[in-house]
Amino acid sequence: MKALFITEKPSVAREFAAALNINAKNRDGYMEGDKAVITWCVGHLVTMSYPDQYDPALKKWDLETIPFIPETFKYETIPGVQKQFDIVSSLLNREDIDTIYVCTDSGREGEYIYRLVDQQANVSKDKKKKRVWIDSQTKEEVIRGVKEAKDLSEYDNLAAAAYLRAKEDYLMGINFSRVLTLKYGWTLGNYLNQKRSLVVAVGRVMTCVLGMIVKREREIRTFVPTPFYRILGHFDCQGFQVEAEWKAVKGSKYFESNKLYKDNGFLDKKDAQEFIKCLEDGSNNETIVVSSSKRQEKKNPPLLYNLAELQNECSKRFKLSPDETLKVVQDLYEKKLVTYPRTDARVLSSAVAKEIYKNVSGLNNYAPLSGFANEIMQGKKYQEIIKTKYVDDKKITDHYAIIPTGQAVNSLSRISEMGQKVYDVIARRFLSIFMPPAVYLKIKLETQTKGEAFFANFKMLKDPGYLKVTGMGGQKKEVALTEEQINAISSLKKGMKLPVKEYKIKDGTTSAPKRYNSGSLILAMENAGQLIEDEDLREQIKGSGIGTSATRAEIVKKLVSNKYIALNKKTQIVTPTLTGEMIVNVVSASIGSLLNPTLTASWEKGLTYVAEGSVTEEEYMQKLDKFVTQKTNIVKQNNFQYQLRQSFDQIAPYYQKKK
């Protein structure tokens, strides 16, 4: 009897054959050795059938035939891969094969790819089925994955979540796209002078993301800049000048005054001028020291990359779209250079942490970072990592963070230039977690003039620590002070008087919100529509995401190909098109909840509960059926054509090309 290994693509099949020392001969669509057979899917081989496969009458889009919710779903082989499906199906059912090792991608989508094939091929339940779950494609990991393969049934909940995700996208996509197209397609088409009905493509995640982009565009459009006037004091501190800024803290006569923008700027320049006059009158051109301090502050290395953080980094650094980043890192994964890329985790598992020295020592062979890798190995700095925030089993669902495997480093020269750059970014972030924190010197000075407080803050890098590995990129430019100046400020005592050189006004203006770039959009999707700029804060308040790490890049790509959004290749800035904004108006008027990121994220959370086994497939399906039926019927009953045309008139001028 033989074992059958089924992978997701031919290149992975070859890697498995090599890792497992299967001396296999090439056949048509598979490889065969004395004790094992290896075959592959080519991505999805099976898909859900369109409504006309249930009834030919459903090919015509008609309000009378929706909502369409079949009791039993139909599936079919994708025509272009029928030949490979037939090969895989015959192997799965071959009498001399008694054990099937499922080696598709270790994630929800990979699970779904195999389960559909198994179902369509009607594989006997008597065959032993094992699930190989791996974090990288190195030889050791493949061998471990096969050796520790669990019974496929242990992944039934994950498979249930995968089926439900597909049913959800199918039911929402078909019913909502049809009902909105039938009701408003002509209104959209006529307005755009297309002389035909415009198909309204709707997706649970895609439409929500489009809504986020349009919402941001409208915030920018309606933004009115507010000028404000800050007050700066220039004080003489033992021979050199210190610039301090006034703040209306408690005790100030302007504390919580409506004459201010926030707590440090006047809204009217006249008020600012009068304030300076007031400070100058009777203060003897002096300010009194309230406090001065000097202290060290440590900044720890950031957490490791998950896919969203890496996509954001590559968007900023290399102007790569999320889809391009995923392709690059997937290639690095398949070449055994990095671990599994479609991950949401930013930490390591405790099991991996125990063996992490292997990954570090492998980077001794990576010339740009060999010195740091050697330093970590010599100092055995990897031994303490398990006790740090970089290792946390509770924060890992399927896979740990993206890190270098430490293997195949010599093959980097054969990788694309961009692949080498992305590898370097991942490797630097990885090694940085073993390095000491960066140490800053913070100097603070507070003075008062006539009861009004002035503050001066200085921050200087004393020891770069981990920044030696990651580079100084992204660090704010620090103010350089001499040792003499530092001592002069920090030696000031409470009650001492400093001569005032001058008070002056500094003009400022409030800034409009920034447009999303492709990377920040992915981060906002990861956190249910909220973009948190600060990386540490992002991790603390991480909630439910919209879409998954595996699907987000594809969703952005689809919005671009549908011409609902425009993506500037040079800057990676994302803006809506007129069509995209019109569709948001249509959805907003008819199924507004589709634009709610929190609600969209709750569907994703529900799928996670199914995968964990805390919500049943039936419970989820019931909720889904009810939602689709209710929303479809509401759209059928309403007619917002007139109101929508008015709303299109309001937004169209923003898209007229400048002559």
Side-chain angles (χ1 to χ4, degrees):
M1 299 301 273
K2 291 185 177 183
L4 172 68
F5 293 84
I6 177 162
T7 67
E8 210 163 295
K9 51 175 97 166
S11 58
V12 180
R14 285 192 289 275
E15 294 296 346
F16 265 74
L20 299 169
N21 287 328
I22 298 168
N23 189 14
K25 291 190 170 61
N26 287 322
R27 304 271 190 263
D28 189 7
Y30 66 102
M31 299 154 75
E32 185 156 4
D34 295 337
K35 293 179 181 175
V37 180
I38 302 182
T39 189
W40 51 84
C41 305
V42 275
H44 276 284
L45 298 179
V46 178
T47 188
M48 299 178 83
S49 299
Y50 275 106
D52 54 75
Q53 295 302 310
Y54 295 79
D55 180 350
L58 291 171
K59 190 160 191 169
K60 183 175 184 286
W61 290 26
D62 192 328
L63 287 173
E64 296 304 311
T65 58
I66 48 176
F68 167 70
I69 301 175
E71 277 186 34
T72 309
F73 286 84
K74 289 189 175 184
Y75 297 85
E76 61 191 60
T77 310
I78 298 167
V81 291
Q82 182 70 54
K83 183 187 172 191
Q84 188 60 21
F85 171 79
D86 291 340
I87 290 165
V88 173
S89 177
S90 67
L91 291 170
L92 286 166
N93 288 300
R94 231 168 75 171
E95 284 184 13
D96 64 332
I97 282 170
D98 63 347
T99 306
I100 297 161
Y101 285 94
V102 180
C103 312
T104 47
D105 225 0
S106 303
R108 189 170 73 189
E109 208 54 31
E111 192 67 26
Y112 188 51
I113 286 174
Y114 173 74
R115 297 289 181 132
L116 287 176
V117 172
D118 189 287
Q119 167 192 300
Q120 199 72 359
N122 208 7
V123 182
S124 163
K125 292 197 167 37
D126 297 335
K127 294 200 185 233
K128 225 188 286 177
K129 294 171 190 172
K130 298 277 198 181
R131 183 59 160 114
V132 176
W133 197 270
I134 56 177
D135 285 304
S136 73
Q137 290 191 359
T138 61
K139 182 174 182 175
E140 295 86 343
E141 183 66 356
V142 168
I143 292 167
R144 183 205 61 76
V146 172
K147 190 178 163 192
E148 296 176 12
K150 294 177 184 172
D151 198 88
L152 184 66
S153 62
E154 292 200 30
Y155 295 86
D156 283 352
N157 286 336
L158 180 68
Y163 270 96
L164 283 170
R165 195 275 310 154
K167 288 172 183 175
E168 180 173 280
D169 287 348
Y170 179 90
L171 292 177
M172 287 194 193
I174 281 175
N175 287 293
F176 296 160
S177 293
R178 286 191 177 199
V179 76
L180 291 175
T181 301
L182 289 164
K183 283 297 260 192
Y184 304 113
W186 278 106
T187 308
L188 287 157
N190 285 336
Y191 197 88
L192 293 165
N193 295 320
Q194 292 188 356
K195 295 182 181 140
R196 61 181 172 83
S197 175
L198 184 84
V199 175
V200 181
V202 177
R204 169 181 62 96
V205 179
M206 182 178 77
T207 304
C208 183
V209 175
L210 178 60
M212 283 161 50
I213 296 164
V214 168
K215 180 173 180 258
R216 177 58 57 90
E217 195 64 25
R218 288 174 178 170
E219 287 167 355
I220 294 166
R221 208 177 276 163
T222 55
F223 176 78
V224 179
T226 305
F228 59 91
Y229 306 93
R230 290 155 57 205
I231 308 296
L232 302 177
H234 289 172
F235 310 142
D236 187 18
C237 178
Q238 299 183 24
F240 78 96
Q241 199 171 292
V242 173
E243 183 178 89
E245 184 171 358
W246 170 73
K247 278 190 180 157
V249 296
K250 207 167 186 177
S252 163
K253 68 175 182 179
Y254 287 101
F255 181 59
E256 294 181 345
S257 165
N258 58 9
K259 290 187 173 185
L260 299 185
Y261 169 72
K262 295 191 174 171
D263 62 356
N264 65 337
F266 286 94
L267 292 167
D268 189 329
K269 196 166 189 174
K270 280 183 190 166
D271 290 331
Q273 288 164 337
E274 281 175 22
F275 180 65
I276 286 179
K277 206 166 176 237
C278 171
L279 289 173
E280 289 170 342
D281 287 351
S283 64
N284 201 23
N285 264 3
E286 288 175 336
T287 188
I288 298 162
V289 174
V290 174
S291 67
S292 73
S293 64
K294 176 175 76 171
R295 67 182 180 86
Q296 284 193 0
E297 183 185 76
K298 291 181 178 179
K299 183 171 168 53
N300 288 313
L303 292 170
L304 297 160
Y305 286 118
N306 61 9
L307 183 57
E309 293 287 345
L310 185 63
Q311 285 167 323
N312 179 51
E313 189 71 42
C314 292
S315 171
K316 283 193 293 194
R317 282 201 199 202
F318 312 128
K319 305 304 175 200
L320 288 183
S321 72
D323 184 54
E324 289 166 334
T325 298
L326 180 53
K327 277 184 188 146
V328 170
V329 74
Q330 179 70 24
D331 186 48
L332 293 173
Y333 168 65
E334 288 175 13
K335 301 267 192 327
K336 303 192 185 82
L337 283 155
V338 302
T339 57
Y340 187 74
R342 291 172 171 83
T343 175
D344 290 319
R346 299 191 60 199
V347 291
L348 301 171
S349 66
S350 50
V352 166
K354 287 171 188 165
E355 304 276 304
I356 205 69
Y357 65 90
K358 294 176 182 173
N359 304 61
V360 178
S361 67
L363 291 174
N364 274 328
N365 302 317
Y366 179 52
L369 297 176
S370 58
F372 296 117
N374 193 39
E375 183 187 328
I376 293 162
M377 289 306 293
Q378 293 298 321
K380 297 192 173 174
K381 295 179 180 180
Y382 53 83
Q383 289 180 341
E384 298 299 308
I385 203 73
I386 200 156
K387 298 172 187 168
T388 66
K389 67 175 182 177
Y390 306 103
V391 178
D392 190 343
D393 291 333
K394 292 193 201 82
K395 288 187 177 170
I396 298 169
T397 44
D398 293 344
H399 298 275
Y400 52 83
I402 305 169
I403 60 169
T405 59
Q407 297 193 19
V409 174
N410 296 334
S411 68
L412 267 169
S413 56
R414 298 192 293 278
I415 300 271
S416 69
E417 189 185 341
M418 188 52 73
Q420 291 177 34
K421 285 179 178 175
V422 174
Y423 179 82
D424 190 70
V425 164
I426 296 167
R428 285 178 187 278
R429 175 66 66 97
F430 169 64
L431 288 183
S432 76
I433 71 168
F434 302 96
M435 301 298 280
V439 180
Y440 292 90
L441 193 61
K442 287 190 93 171
I443 298 117
K444 284 187 174 182
L445 171 65
E446 183 187 345
T447 75
Q448 272 193 7
T449 309
K450 294 176 78 173
E452 297 292 345
F454 283 81
F455 298 88
N457 292 294
F458 304 94
K459 185 179 175 184
M460 294 169 61
L461 185 62
K462 200 176 175 200
D463 180 354
Y466 77 90
L467 292 172
K468 286 187 288 193
V469 183
T470 59
M472 304 302 199
Q475 298 296 312
K476 283 182 184 169
K477 202 165 170 57
E478 313 299 349
V479 180
L481 294 179
T482 64
E483 197 70 34
E484 193 184 345
Q485 290 169 331
I486 292 166
N487 293 334
I489 297 171
S490 54
S491 65
L492 294 172
K493 298 282 184 288
K494 186 176 179 179
M496 287 174 79
K497 292 175 180 176
L498 300 179
V500 175
K501 187 170 181 279
E502 65 172 338
Y503 293 108
K504 62 188 236 184
I505 293 170
K506 187 164 187 183
D507 297 1
T509 311
T510 55
S511 304
K514 283 183 189 167
R515 287 188 173 93
Y516 289 112
N517 61 42
S518 60
S520 64
L521 182 62
I522 293 282
L523 287 181
M525 288 167 74
E526 190 188 41
N527 207 52
Q530 248 190 309
L531 176 63
I532 290 64
E533 295 286 355
D534 183 81
E535 192 175 332
D536 294 333
L537 188 61
R538 257 202 310 272
E539 194 56 32
Q540 285 167 29
I541 71 140
K542 204 166 180 181
S544 306
I546 299 170
T548 65
S549 54
T551 59
R552 288 179 194 124
E554 192 57 40
I555 285 154
V556 176
K557 189 179 168 188
K558 195 172 178 186
L559 283 168
V560 173
S561 66
N562 281 354
K563 296 191 168 60
Y564 290 175
I565 65 169
L567 175 63
N568 184 311
K569 284 197 171 167
K570 282 185 183 170
T571 62
Q572 289 297 308
I573 297 288
V574 175
T575 49
T577 61
L578 175 57
T579 307
E581 188 164 352
M582 285 165 72
I583 280 169
V584 166
N585 283 7
V586 169
V587 175
S588 178
S590 44
I591 319 173
S593 55
L594 280 182
L595 299 171
N596 182 338
T598 313
L599 190 76
T600 305
S602 76
W603 286 106
E604 200 62 58
K605 196 81 174 159
L607 291 173
T608 306
Y609 290 145
V610 172
E612 289 168 356
S614 53
V615 170
T616 67
E617 206 172 341
E618 293 71 31
E619 285 170 322
Y620 193 92
M621 202 64 205
Q622 235 174 342
K623 183 187 166 194
L624 178 61
D625 285 0
K626 188 179 170 189
F627 180 79
V628 171
T629 304
Q630 275 183 350
K631 299 297 177 190
T632 306
N633 287 331
I634 287 168
V635 179
K636 283 167 72 173
Q637 289 157 18
N638 290 326
N639 293 295
F640 295 120
Q641 288 82 350
Y642 177 71
Q643 293 95 319
L644 283 169
R645 269 194 292 270
Q646 285 184 311
S647 78
F648 299 162
D649 283 339
Q650 287 168 354
I651 61 175
Y654 296 107
Y655 293 93
Q656 284 168 356
K657 285 182 181 169
K658 288 174 184 167
K659 290 180 183 176

